[in-house]
């Protein structure tokens, strides 16, 4: 079955991969924008998210008006961007000690 494996919601999209740098976030976001304009992207780290935001804005679109960009790792610098970055904070120390976030049971 094509699209979402659960058969509902938005169709599944193949992931693109970067090398953890702003330059790769920029390049991969341009690729996504050329293929189809996403309404949101989740980026594996904040550095690549900075590059993705730059690509969106250089393409004449706005964040978050046209494309929402979500980063991961809550880098300190993300609070000082001209376009604030929505980011996921992960406490790796807590996770390593087995006290990280968990999903509730059924």
């Amino acid at each position: 079955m094509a699209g979402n494996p659960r058969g509902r919601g938005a169709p599944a999209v193949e992931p693109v991969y970067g090398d953890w740098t702003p330059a790769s976030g920029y390049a991969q976001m341009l690729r996504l924008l050329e293929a189809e304009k996403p309404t949101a992207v989740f980026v594996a780290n904040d550095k690549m998210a900075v590059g993705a935001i730059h690509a969106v804005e250089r393409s004449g679109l706005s964040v978050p008006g046209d494309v929402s960009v979500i980063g991961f790792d809550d880098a300190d610098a993300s609070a000082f961007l001209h376009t604030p970055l929505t980011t996921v904070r992960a406490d790796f120390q807590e996770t390593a000690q087995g006290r990280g976030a968990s999903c509730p049971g059924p």
Side-chain angles (χ1 to χ4, degrees):
M1 176 178 171
N4 188 316
R6 294 187 178 159
R8 61 182 185 265
V13 177
E14 288 297 316
V16 296
Y17 299 94
D19 65 6
W20 308 102
T21 64
S24 70
Y26 181 84
Q28 296 298 355
M29 189 70 216
L30 286 180
R31 240 181 84 207
L32 288 173
L33 291 170
E34 289 172 4
E36 60 182 282
K37 189 183 98 177
T39 57
V41 293
F42 181 82
V43 187
N45 75 350
D46 287 354
K47 288 181 181 179
M48 289 193 303
V50 168
I53 288 172
H54 190 62
V56 170
E57 292 174 343
R58 294 285 305 261
S59 297
L61 301 170
S62 71
V63 174
D66 297 306
V67 182
S68 297
V69 177
I70 303 157
F72 184 88
D73 69 21
D74 196 22
D76 292 340
S78 63
F80 297 96
L81 298 172
H82 71 280
T83 300
L85 176 62
T86 298
T87 184
V88 175
R89 176 181 296 148
D91 189 332
F92 295 107
Q93 185 68 29
E94 290 284 320
T95 301
Q97 295 173 354
R99 297 187 309 246
S102 64
C103 295

